[in-house]
Amino acid sequence: MHSSVRLTSLLGCILICLSIQAAEDAPSYPEHQDLSFYLEDSGQKQPIKSKEDWQIRRKHILANLHKVMGEVPRPEKPVPLRMKVLEETKVGDLVRQKISYHTDSAEQVVTAYLFVPPGDGKLPAVLCLHQTTGIGKGEPAGLGGNPNLHYALHLAQRGYITLAPDYPSFGDYKYDFDPKYGYKSGSMKAIYDNIRAIDLLTSLKEVDADRIGCIGHSLGGHNTIFTAVHDTRIKVAVSNCGFTRFHKYYEGKLAGWTSARYMPLIASEYGNNPDKVPFDFPELIAALAPRAFLASSPIGDSNFEVSGVKDAIASAQPFFKLLG
């Protein structure tokens, strides 16, 4: 291993150690469906009546999320993206570019498909996150898989700039999820990669940086939520078949969330028990407010049971109203 790789890993470990201390300072909430209050340090409940009150609860939500995922890396000087165009393919009136760029390491490369429609002026852009599929970014870009999930291509045909990257360990993205490389969870690694993808989009002269959205199916659906909670440059988020309350995910059996690609601490620290996991999706959906959010959820989804989606939306709606 090169010395620069060791340094990157060491810095990641330092960031995580600092984040653990910060996260432990947040009070634990006994359940996550009732968002009408925040807890003082004493444990006393205070009703949420103002935007300022909500920001206290939102801060606690993120801190408790980070107990499971780890903190977002916040280097003073992020690794340069150094975007490269690897190939170009004509797709109708569009050009599909396969590109590479760096996220958190000068040695590690992420590949993605980028569509930039023809036209003058700045265009809105959408980050397109794929489902659990071996071809990764290839499915939303239109290269196989389910035609209904070619949303990077479809949105580009409608005039949006779209970027479809690989999730770590899918497509061309080889990744070792060992915590020694600086991440407590694959979910946080993906979040930071997606934040850097937004950095890339905002660096393009064709992109209107004030009109950026994110869309995803299944894995990409909750990845969209996780990323948008952390990056407010995302103004619109769309989650298709992406979430339900933990208590209603296979009747509270959370093993599907615990692989190295996702959040292994749900098993090792919280015993796969939804009563013990310190965050849940009602809180995350509320934390997106006041930005636009669409949940597209079928009534027969065996993974993400629809009543848990409705529960989360019902809990979150008052805060979209509170924040206007």
Side-chain angles (χ1 to χ4, degrees), residues 288-310:
L288 297 173
R291 293 166 290 157
F293 174 67
L294 171 65
S296 171
S297 303
I299 61 173
D301 191 329
S302 60
N303 275 20
F304 301 116
E305 203 276 330
V306 70
S307 71
V309 177
K310 292 180 178 179

Side-chain angles (χ1 to χ4, degrees), residues 13-59:
C13 292
I14 291 171
L15 283 168
I16 285 174
C17 290
L18 291 173
S19 72
I20 290 172
Q21 182 178 4
E24 288 177 346
D25 291 339
S28 296
Y29 285 75
E31 60 90 27
H32 310 284
Q33 185 71 20
D34 181 2
L35 306 182
S36 65
F37 64 92
Y38 69 87
L39 292 175
E40 295 181 326
D41 292 340
S42 64
Q44 181 73 27
K45 289 184 178 181
Q46 291 294 337
I48 294 174
K49 298 180 179 180
S50 67
K51 295 178 181 179
E52 292 73 23
D53 292 338
W54 169 245
Q55 289 306 317
I56 296 173
R57 180 68 189 263
R58 189 183 190 278
K59 181 180 178 181

Side-chain angles (χ1 to χ4, degrees), residues 68-101:
V68 182
M69 289 188 177
E71 188 73 14
V72 183
R74 301 189 188 280
E76 289 186 16
K77 293 183 179 180
V79 172
L81 292 163
R82 294 196 176 96
M83 175 184 141
K84 294 181 181 178
V85 177
L86 305 177
E87 62 183 43
E88 293 189 341
T89 304
K90 189 76 171 172
V91 184
D93 294 332
L94 299 169
V95 174
R96 183 185 67 235
Q97 294 182 330
K98 186 176 184 179
I99 65 170
S100 68
Y101 54 95

Side-chain angles (χ1 to χ4, degrees), residues 176-215:
D176 185 344
F177 291 101
D178 192 311
K180 70 183 180 183
Y181 295 113
Y183 292 91
K184 290 171 66 175
S185 70
S187 295
M188 183 51 69
K189 167 62 176 166
I191 289 167
Y192 188 65
D193 282 355
N194 294 336
I195 289 171
R196 298 312 313 279
I198 300 295
D199 290 345
L200 187 146
L201 285 171
T202 59
S203 75
L204 300 177
K205 67 181 188 308
E206 300 91 347
V207 169
D208 182 344
D210 292 324
R211 293 193 293 163
I212 293 178
C214 188
I215 185 172

Side-chain angles (χ1 to χ4, degrees), residues 19-275:
S19 72
I20 290 172
Q21 182 178 4
E24 288 177 346
D25 291 339
S28 296
Y29 285 75
E31 60 90 27
H32 310 284
Q33 185 71 20
D34 181 2
L35 306 182
S36 65
F37 64 92
Y38 69 87
L39 292 175
E40 295 181 326
D41 292 340
S42 64
Q44 181 73 27
K45 289 184 178 181
Q46 291 294 337
I48 294 174
K49 298 180 179 180
S50 67
K51 295 178 181 179
E52 292 73 23
D53 292 338
W54 169 245
Q55 289 306 317
I56 296 173
R57 180 68 189 263
R58 189 183 190 278
K59 181 180 178 181
H60 292 166
I61 290 168
L62 265 67
N64 282 313
L65 174 68
H66 295 159
K67 291 177 183 178
V68 182
M69 289 188 177
E71 188 73 14
V72 183
R74 301 189 188 280
E76 289 186 16
K77 293 183 179 180
V79 172
L81 292 163
R82 294 196 176 96
M83 175 184 141
K84 294 181 181 178
V85 177
L86 305 177
E87 62 183 43
E88 293 189 341
T89 304
K90 189 76 171 172
V91 184
D93 294 332
L94 299 169
V95 174
R96 183 185 67 235
Q97 294 182 330
K98 186 176 184 179
I99 65 170
S100 68
Y101 54 95
H102 302 277
T103 58
D104 59 3
S105 166
E107 288 76 25
Q108 189 173 78
V109 174
V110 177
T111 57
Y113 286 113
L114 174 67
F115 291 92
V116 180
D120 298 324
K122 291 185 177 293
L123 299 173
V126 183
L127 179 62
C128 300
L129 305 178
H130 63 78
Q131 65 161 323
T132 301
T133 178
I135 64 172
K137 64 187 177 300
E139 183 162 61
L143 298 173
N146 184 346
N148 288 335
L149 298 177
H150 294 173
Y151 34 87
L153 173 60
H154 295 160
L155 288 167
Q157 290 169 335
R158 296 186 181 195
Y160 295 86
I161 294 169
T162 61
L163 178 66
D166 282 325
Y167 190 100
S169 77
F170 290 99
D172 298 317
Y173 197 166
K174 309 302 181 186
Y175 187 74
D176 185 344
F177 291 101
D178 192 311
K180 70 183 180 183
Y181 295 113
Y183 292 91
K184 290 171 66 175
S185 70
S187 295
M188 183 51 69
K189 167 62 176 166
I191 289 167
Y192 188 65
D193 282 355
N194 294 336
I195 289 171
R196 298 312 313 279
I198 300 295
D199 290 345
L200 187 146
L201 285 171
T202 59
S203 75
L204 300 177
K205 67 181 188 308
E206 300 91 347
V207 169
D208 182 344
D210 292 324
R211 293 193 293 163
I212 293 178
C214 188
I215 185 172
H217 171 68
S218 191
L219 166 64
H222 46 263
N223 201 11
T224 291
I225 295 168
F226 297 157
T227 303
V229 164
H230 290 92
D231 196 330
T232 56
R233 293 176 297 178
I234 296 172
K235 298 302 194 294
V236 178
V238 179
S239 177
N240 187 64
C241 306
F243 72 99
T244 191
R245 288 180 60 206
F246 283 141
H247 285 84
K248 294 188 175 181
Y249 178 83
Y250 290 115
E251 299 180 341
K253 300 178 179 68
L254 302 184
W257 287 106
T258 64
S259 77
R261 283 175 172 166
Y262 310 115
M263 293 169 280
L265 290 187
I266 287 179
S268 63
E269 294 293 327
Y270 303 104
N272 287 340
N273 186 341
D275 290 329

